[in-house]
Amino acid sequence: MIALEKLGAVAELPLNETPWALENLPPFPAVATRLLSALAKEDVDIREIVKIVAAEPVFATRVLQMANSSLFATQQHVRGIPQAIILVGLERVRAITVTRAMGDFIAPAINLKTLRACWQNSLAGAILAGKLARACGMETFSYVAGLVRDIGRLALLMKYPGAYANLVAVSREQKFDLTATERELFDLDHCEAGARLMQTMPLPAELCEVVARHHESEIEGRFRMVHLVRCADRMADALGFAVVAPCEALDFAAVCEEFAACSGARFDKDPEELKMEIMFKLVAWA
C-alpha cells in the first residue's frame, strides 16, 4: 500500500478566494489564454488568430509542425498560418493551436509517467469529442472542449507532481474513485480546480460548464457540449485511455447507446479500429 499524505488542512474557502492547492500555479501560457478567448467567440476574427500566433515565432513554428503532422492529416503541406486557416479550416486551426498551447503548458513535466497518461487521456477525449460532434452536427469548439475538460488535473499535476502521481497510484491499487481521492488530498477535485482556472479567462459559459460538470451523471436540460464531452470522456475510458480505471468497467457499446439516447445521433464505430486510430495520433503527437 502506498502512503497517501495530506498536504494540509484548511477551512472551506469562499468562492472569491484561491484554494490553497491552487496558489502559485505554474502560469498558463499567455498565448493559450488569448487563443482560447479569441477562438471561443461566435464570430472568430481570422486576422486576430493570425496576429496572436504570428506574434510568437517559436509557437508559430510548432503550430506549423503540428499542422503538417499525421495527427491532423492535412493533404497539402502547410507553409504559413494564413495558409493553414485556408487549407486546414478554422476548426482544425482551433484544435491545432490549443493543442500546441496546452502541450507547452505541460512540457516541463511531460517525462513524468502520470502526466503523460493524463495528457494522452485529454487528447483521446478531445479526438472523440470531435468525432461525436460531427456525428450530431455540433462541431463548434468540441475538440477544444474535450481537450481542456481536465485542465484542473493537469494543473494539479504540474504543481504537485509527486503527490498527484502517488494519488493516482493509490487510486489504481485500491480502486478508489479518483475525484474523491483528489478531494481528500487537495480539498477540491480536478473539476473544481479547472472551473476556478477557467473563471480567470474570458471564455464562454458553455466551455466553463464542460470543465466543471463533465463527470456528473445527471445533467439537466437540452443536449449541449457538456453532455457530448461527458460521453467522449467515458468513451475514452472504455477504449482503455483512462488515467484510473472506473470502479465499474465501461462497455464501449453501452457508452455509444448513452450518446444516442441523449443526442439523438448514432455513433457506430468499431472500438478496436477507433482505438488504433487514436493511438496512432497519440504517437504522432509524441
Side-chain angles (χ1 to χ4, degrees), residues 171 174-178 217 230 233-239 242 244-252 254-255 258:
S171 298
Q174 302 298 319
K175 300 188 184 304
F176 291 158
D177 177 77
L178 185 60
S217 58
R230 170 176 161 76
D233 182 85
R234 287 168 60 76
M235 198 170 285
D237 287 355
L239 289 174
V244 174
C247 296
E248 295 184 8
L250 287 172
D251 177 70
F252 178 79
V255 180
E258 289 178 20

Side-chain angles (χ1 to χ4, degrees), residues 21-269:
L22 299 183
E23 292 178 349
N24 302 315
L25 281 175
F28 196 65
V31 64
T33 302
R34 293 197 297 273
L35 280 168
L36 279 170
S37 177
L39 289 166
K41 296 175 182 176
E42 287 189 16
D43 297 319
V44 178
D45 186 340
I46 294 176
R47 293 169 299 179
E48 182 181 2
I49 305 306
V50 172
K51 184 177 179 180
I52 292 171
V53 175
E56 304 277 349
V58 174
F59 181 75
T61 299
R62 290 174 178 170
V63 167
L64 290 176
Q65 288 173 341
M66 178 170 276
N68 286 297
S69 76
S70 54
L71 182 62
F72 291 94
T74 54
Q75 295 182 348
Q76 300 183 48
H77 185 76
V78 181
R79 298 182 182 278
I81 299 303
Q83 184 191 21
I85 294 174
I86 295 170
L87 292 179
V88 178
L90 186 58
E91 284 306 311
R92 277 191 172 178
V93 168
R94 191 196 308 266
I96 290 167
T97 52
V98 177
T99 302
R100 182 66 263 177
M102 290 282 288
D104 285 351
F105 174 57
I106 65 170
I110 194 60
N111 288 329
L112 292 171
K113 183 178 179 180
T114 302
L115 183 60
R116 286 201 308 274
C118 291
W119 180 232
Q120 289 180 347
N121 173 266
S122 293
L123 281 169
I127 293 167
L128 287 164
K131 289 182 177 294
L132 293 180
R134 287 189 289 277
C136 63
M138 192 177 73
E139 293 189 49
T140 304
F141 69 83
S142 54
Y143 176 97
V144 173
L147 187 68
V148 303
R149 73 189 191 282
D150 284 335
I151 189 173
R153 173 184 291 163
L154 297 174
L156 289 172
L157 230 173
M158 290 289 292
K159 179 73 183 290
Y160 309 104
Y164 200 93
N166 192 38
L167 178 153
V168 170
V170 169
S171 298
R172 285 174 177 164
E173 181 182 303
Q174 302 298 319
K175 300 188 184 304
F176 291 158
D177 177 77
L178 185 60
T179 54
T181 312
E182 288 170 339
R183 289 191 290 272
E184 177 66 22
L185 183 61
F186 297 113
D187 292 325
L188 81 174
D189 59 36
H190 70 270
C191 297
E192 182 183 347
R196 286 177 177 270
L197 287 175
M198 298 297 276
Q199 287 173 0
T200 67
M201 307 178 197
L203 298 172
E206 192 171 19
L207 199 57
C208 297
E209 182 187 33
V210 166
V211 173
R213 305 186 63 191
H214 66 278
H215 284 307
E216 293 183 18
S217 58
E218 295 186 13
I219 305 171
E220 70 287 343
R222 60 176 177 79
F223 179 78
R224 56 191 185 277
M225 192 63 67
V226 65
H227 298 92
L228 183 143
V229 171
R230 170 176 161 76
C231 290
D233 182 85
R234 287 168 60 76
M235 198 170 285
D237 287 355
L239 289 174
F241 297 102
V243 176
V244 174
C247 296
E248 295 184 8
L250 287 172
D251 177 70
F252 178 79
V255 180
C256 288
E257 288 301 321
E258 289 178 20
F259 172 71
C262 63
S263 71
R266 301 296 305 177
F267 187 75
D268 298 317
K269 301 289 184 181

